[in-house]
Amino acid sequence: AQKITQTQPGMFVQEKEAVTLDCTYDTSDPSYGLFWYKQPSSGEMIFLIYQGSYDQQNATEGRYSLNFQKARKSANLVISASQLGDSAMYFCAPLWPRGGGADGLTFGKGTHLIIQP
Amino acid sequence: DSGVTQTPKHLITATGQRVTLRCSPRSGDLSVYWYQQSLDQGLQFLIHYYNGEERAKGNILERFSAQQFPDLHSELNLSSLELGDSALYFCASSQGQVSDTQYFGPGTRLTVL
């Protein structure tokens, strides 16, 4: 069965430090996509970054980057130079290819990141 | 602002009642997904519509139903409500290809008393 694991329920990080949020998954499918979303306390879900399983380069979007290690089935989110506004829940969400990918995202339990001044 | 709109923002109702949640996707997006976020179940995929047709069902209860209209807006109908249906319901839209990013609306917070 396919599953997603975020092992860090909560993290405290000093402002301006880099932070790595872990995400591991289990699938036998060679083709899939990996999304990361941020959910601040206000509740909205904000798309951060996407990595396709066949992408040769690790994805980057501004201060966000993915440390994608396909063989280890991990897709860790790295936030550089953290800011107070980065405090939020972060979800790793794979899109598995079954049903042609129509099945929607599967969300991990999330990591609650708190940036301290 | 993702461009996805959801109404209402908050909804308070009683057990046994029926409610309708509405979603308007981003301009040009053909796919609409519905998700439920609750404290005990986390974020779960409910159902996916593409250009008016149902594409996939997730953990959607039989008491729940959805549809996507010709103008591409979607409605999620929840009936015979129970206390456990209290949750944040999200709609997300994408252009329609498998790997397209899903952009989420602000959500509708449903409280069943």
Side-chain angles (χ1 to χ4, degrees), chain B residues 29-32 48-56 68 72 94-97:
Chain B
D29 283 358
L30 298 177
S31 270
V32 169
H48 170 207
Y49 275 83
Y50 174 80
N51 202 21
E53 293 190 5
E54 182 186 303
R55 287 291 307 277
Q68 186 180 27
L72 301 177
S94 74
Q95 290 185 332
Q97 298 303 311

Side-chain angles (χ1 to χ4, degrees), chain A residues 35 37 39 42-47 50 91 95-97 99-109, chain B residues 2 33 35 37 40 43-45 48 55-58 88 90 98-106 109:
Chain A
F35 295 83
Y37 286 85
Q39 186 176 35
S42 52
E44 72 264 37
M45 293 290 289
I46 302 167
F47 165 71
Y50 167 79
F91 293 96
L95 183 67
W96 310 119
D103 283 2
L105 297 166
T106 303
F107 284 87
K109 292 189 183 299
Chain B
S2 67
Y33 298 79
Y35 294 87
Q37 185 177 31
D40 52 346
L43 262 160
Q44 292 193 102
F45 163 67
H48 170 207
R55 287 291 307 277
K57 276 186 173 180
L88 186 54
F90 286 108
V98 166
S99 61
D100 286 340
T101 297
Q102 294 180 30
Y103 293 93
F104 282 70
R109 182 164 297 282

Side-chain angles (χ1 to χ4, degrees), chain B residues 11-100:
Chain B
L11 198 48
I12 302 174
T13 188
T15 54
Q17 295 298 304
R18 174 189 169 94
V19 298
T20 297
L21 313 183
R22 183 189 168 103
C23 167
S24 292
R26 296 186 320 156
S27 177
D29 283 358
L30 298 177
S31 270
V32 169
Y33 298 79
W34 286 96
Y35 294 87
Q36 178 196 59
Q37 185 177 31
S38 63
L39 282 174
D40 52 346
Q41 300 288 336
L43 262 160
Q44 292 193 102
F45 163 67
L46 295 179
I47 197 164
H48 170 207
Y49 275 83
Y50 174 80
N51 202 21
E53 293 190 5
E54 182 186 303
R55 287 291 307 277
K57 276 186 173 180
N59 296 324
I60 189 166
L61 300 171
E62 286 193 10
R63 300 183 284 109
F64 296 0
S65 65
Q67 54 184 329
Q68 186 180 27
F69 294 87
D71 67 352
L72 301 177
H73 90 271
S74 178
E75 293 180 355
L76 179 67
N77 300 295
L78 316 176
S79 61
S80 303
L81 285 167
E82 302 174 0
L83 295 178
D85 298 327
S86 295
L88 186 54
Y89 290 85
F90 286 108
C91 157
S93 76
S94 74
Q95 290 185 332
Q97 298 303 311
V98 166
S99 61
D100 286 340

Side-chain angles (χ1 to χ4, degrees), chain A:
Chain A
Q2 294 154 320
K3 72 175 188 178
I4 177 80
T5 303
Q6 292 183 254
T7 58
Q8 306 147 309
M11 287 184 73
F12 288 87
V13 173
Q14 288 297 119
E15 190 180 9
K16 297 180 186 172
E17 288 184 353
V19 56
T20 297
L21 305 180
D22 294 341
C23 171
T24 58
Y25 53 91
D26 189 13
T27 182
S28 56
D29 293 306
S31 175
Y32 49 88
L34 291 154
F35 295 83
W36 276 89
Y37 286 85
K38 170 185 178 182
Q39 186 176 35
S41 58
S42 52
E44 72 264 37
M45 293 290 289
I46 302 167
F47 165 71
L48 295 179
I49 196 166
Y50 167 79
Q51 178 87 42
S53 60
Y54 289 119
D55 292 345
Q56 294 296 314
Q57 306 271 358
N58 283 344
T60 61
E61 288 284 351
R63 292 188 300 113
Y64 304 107
S65 61
L66 268 179
N67 182 2
F68 179 53
Q69 298 184 46
K70 190 171 181 178
R72 297 182 60 184
K73 296 182 181 176
S74 75
N76 298 337
L77 177 70
V78 180
I79 306 174
S80 63
S82 57
Q83 302 170 357
L84 296 178
D86 293 333
S87 295
M89 284 291 291
Y90 288 81
F91 293 96
C92 178
L95 183 67
W96 310 119
R98 66 179 185 274
D103 283 2
L105 297 166
T106 303
F107 284 87
K109 292 189 183 299
T111 295
H112 189 191
L113 175 65
I114 298 174
I115 307 299
Q116 297 176 309

